[in-house]
Structure formats: C-alpha cells, structure tokens
Amino acid sequence: MEEKKEKMKIGIGAWIALIFFIVILSGVFRTSDTPLQILDLTNLTGNFGLIGETESNFIGSGGSGAKDGFMAGLNLLPGIMLFCGLLGVFEQMKAFDASEIVFRPILKPLLGIPGRCGVAFVSSFNGSDVAAIMTRDLYEAGDITDDQRTIFVSYQYAASACITNTINCGAPILAFCPIALGVIIVIEFVCKLIGANLVRLIIRLSNKKKGA
C-alpha cells in the first residue's frame, strides 16, 4: 500500500510530460503553419520526397498485391520507431502516472478501463498504430487485464482513428454531406462506445456464468 502511495506522488514534470505527450499524439498542430507544428507526431515522422516529376515517392503508384502491402508497411516503420522512443522517454517522466489521475474518472465509467489508458485513448482518435502499441505495452506491463484489453481494443477497432480517417478518406463526401464534420465524429464516438460496452457486457455475463 505504501509503495502504491509513493508511486502516485506526481511531480510537476510528470504533468508537463503528460500535456506534451497528449498534444503530440492528438494532431492538434498537424496542419499548423507555425513552429508549433513540431509538436505533432506525423510532422516529426516527416514525409518522403517525390522522385523527379513523377509525383510519387519510393513506394510508387498504382501498385497492388503483397509487394505493395509490404512497401506500405515499410513506410510505417519510421513513425513507429520514433513513437517507441518517445514512449520510453515519457514513461520515465511518469506521464502515465499522471494520466491515471486525469483519466480515471472518465474511462472507468465509460469503458471500465483504468486511467493509465488515457494517452492511448486520446491517440486512438488520430491514429491506430500508436494506440495499438500502447495497448500492448499496458497489457504486458500488467496495467490492464485481458478483459480490459479486449474492451479497449474493441473500442479502438470500430471507426479506427476516426478523426484522421474521416477527414482524409471521407474528404470527397464531406464536400456535399449535409451533416457537419463535428457531428459525424461525435456519432462515430458514440457508436464506438456502444460497441465496446456491448463487448464489456458480454464479458461480464460470460465471467458470471463461469463463476456460477
């Protein structure tokens, strides 16, 4: 008990680290024209330049099949490697201990998961890969149970990276859609919560049946 209390003593550095981590993963400054754009994971990862006048990068264009999938996966590696480095830094700065305090009253009633999932929860709005890595690490560290991981993954998988994918993939439709972008994202968020809580209910009933 004393060890747990000691762990939950959060200094100002942890709160600053948490704020920076959430901002970097949230995509707030993704399209900024100011120096603040550096506070975004996508901008930090960067882009490959174009080859001559082809308007294509090293992946090329018009590909299909397993080879194209491999190249697309290879394209993700620099961003994932960068994030894993950031994750280690912010973890040492106790950002996750601070997130436990901030997100516990939000995530516990919404999804039945601990507050330490807060950073992954925020990240899941903007990208799926980073949130998946964080969820795996939370489970391997013993911060969430197998049931909690299942609930959290079901939340993330539905309308994955809803903000980024709605803006990027849904751009042609948004031009003539009668519903505002904000309303669409709210609907997606509500549907994600409903789906995850259905899974939560199924798990609870299944555990109760096993106990009986």
Side-chain angles (χ1 to χ4, degrees):
M1 193 72 171
E2 288 297 324
E3 186 180 343
K4 190 171 183 182
K5 283 183 181 177
E6 186 68 29
K7 188 179 179 182
M8 293 307 292
K9 287 181 180 177
I10 310 299
I12 185 67
W15 292 109
I16 294 173
L18 176 63
I19 292 169
F20 270 96
F21 203 24
I22 289 175
V23 169
I24 287 171
L25 297 178
S26 66
V28 172
F29 296 112
R30 184 174 182 179
T31 57
S32 174
D33 295 326
T34 69
L36 290 174
Q37 63 182 320
I38 199 173
L39 295 177
D40 178 78
L41 182 63
T42 303
N43 293 331
L44 286 172
T45 303
N47 292 304
F48 291 106
L50 301 182
I51 301 172
E53 310 216 346
T54 62
E55 297 189 355
S56 298
N57 59 24
F58 84 107
I59 294 179
S61 59
S64 62
K67 289 183 179 179
D68 189 54
F70 175 81
M71 296 302 284
L74 186 63
N75 190 31
L76 293 173
L77 280 178
I80 292 175
M81 292 170 66
L82 172 64
F83 170 73
C84 287
L86 290 174
L87 185 63
V89 171
F90 284 105
E91 189 172 10
Q92 288 298 315
M93 296 177 73
K94 298 187 179 295
F96 293 102
D97 290 341
S99 75
E100 170 67 27
I101 296 172
V102 174
F103 288 100
R104 187 193 307 133
I106 300 172
L107 294 182
K108 202 67 179 174
L110 278 182
L111 295 169
I113 59 178
R116 291 183 74 84
C117 299
V119 180
F121 176 76
V122 172
S123 174
S124 69
F125 285 94
N126 196 43
S128 55
D129 304 320
V130 169
I133 293 171
M134 294 186 68
T135 304
R136 181 204 64 190
D137 288 349
L138 285 165
Y139 175 71
E140 291 180 350
D143 292 322
I144 56 175
T145 65
D146 187 47
D147 288 346
Q148 290 171 335
R149 177 180 62 169
T150 302
I151 295 166
F152 196 25
V153 167
S154 67
Y155 165 82
Q156 293 178 39
Y157 188 76
S160 178
C162 58
I163 294 178
T164 299
N165 287 333
T166 301
I167 294 172
N168 293 346
C169 302
I173 299 174
L174 291 175
F176 57 85
C177 181
I179 304 175
L181 174 62
V183 177
I184 293 173
I185 292 174
V186 168
I187 292 172
E188 290 174 342
F189 175 64
V190 171
C191 290
K192 283 161 69 73
L193 285 179
I194 291 173
N197 277 285
L198 283 174
V199 171
R200 183 180 175 187
L201 177 61
I202 292 169
I203 289 174
R204 184 179 297 172
L205 293 174
S206 176
N207 290 340
K208 190 177 290 186
K209 190 175 180 181
K210 286 178 185 175

